[in-house]
Amino acid sequence: MTNPSPRGTYLTIAEALRARIAEGTYPDGLPSEAEIGREFGVARTTVRRALRALEEAGDVTTVAGVGRQVGGRSQVAPYRRIMTDLLDRIRTGELPAGARLPSEAELSESYGVARGTVRRAVHELEGAGHIHAQHGVGRFVGPAT
């Protein structure tokens, strides 16, 4: 068993991450908790405390489906981006009423995301009445609203 880290280690990690944020080291978002833990040689709970301190200070924000981002930078969750795109395609007539949507696998590949992300976007559109599913056949664009 390794020695536990001394009290306050999370503050040291938070300051190191804050300095990197100021330098612009993380333009695409912070590394995962596991990566930070490996780098600093601490448990995930210590990393989480450091990240929570950064979030409370407004240096970092958590975006569902995206991860932790540098504070003040707005990113849209991937499923929302897919929803918006599909809605635009429906509204412009590229996907007219009654048209069959591409399969989850096809959408997943074209958007470069996991099927679960596509499934969430499609489920939201179904809930809003923009598309409907026919079991064993596929999903189709609903009537114009």
Side-chain angles (χ1 to χ4, degrees):
M1 179 177 209
T2 60
N3 293 332
S5 58
R7 289 188 181 271
T9 301
Y10 77 97
L11 294 173
T12 304
I13 295 169
E15 285 307 312
L17 294 174
R18 186 174 284 119
R20 291 178 187 174
I21 289 169
E23 294 168 358
T25 305
Y26 303 124
D28 298 324
L30 273 66
S32 70
E33 291 174 356
E35 290 174 53
I36 295 170
R38 277 192 298 274
E39 178 185 348
F40 289 96
V42 296
R44 188 169 276 184
T45 54
T46 304
V47 173
R48 286 183 179 158
R49 287 186 75 188
L51 293 170
R52 189 175 332 117
L54 291 173
E55 286 179 356
E56 289 171 358
D59 296 318
V60 171
T61 58
T62 301
V63 179
V66 176
R68 288 190 175 87
Q69 302 293 310
V70 175
R73 292 192 183 154
S74 174
Q75 285 210 349
V76 176
Y79 83 94
R80 288 217 178 266
R81 180 175 45 90
I82 295 167
M83 281 177 51
T84 302
D85 184 56
L86 290 174
L87 268 176
D88 287 345
R89 291 171 63 187
I90 290 169
R91 289 183 177 134
T92 62
E94 184 180 337
L95 288 171
R100 185 176 186 276
L101 255 60
S103 70
E104 286 179 0
E106 291 168 331
L107 289 171
S108 173
E109 187 174 323
S110 67
Y111 287 104
V113 297
R115 278 180 78 167
T117 303
V118 169
R119 193 171 293 129
R120 182 171 179 188
V122 169
H123 180 74
E124 297 273 336
L125 291 172
E126 280 183 67
H130 297 289
I131 61 175
H132 65 277
Q134 285 184 311
H135 185 70
V137 179
R139 290 189 173 95
F140 296 87
V141 177
T145 55

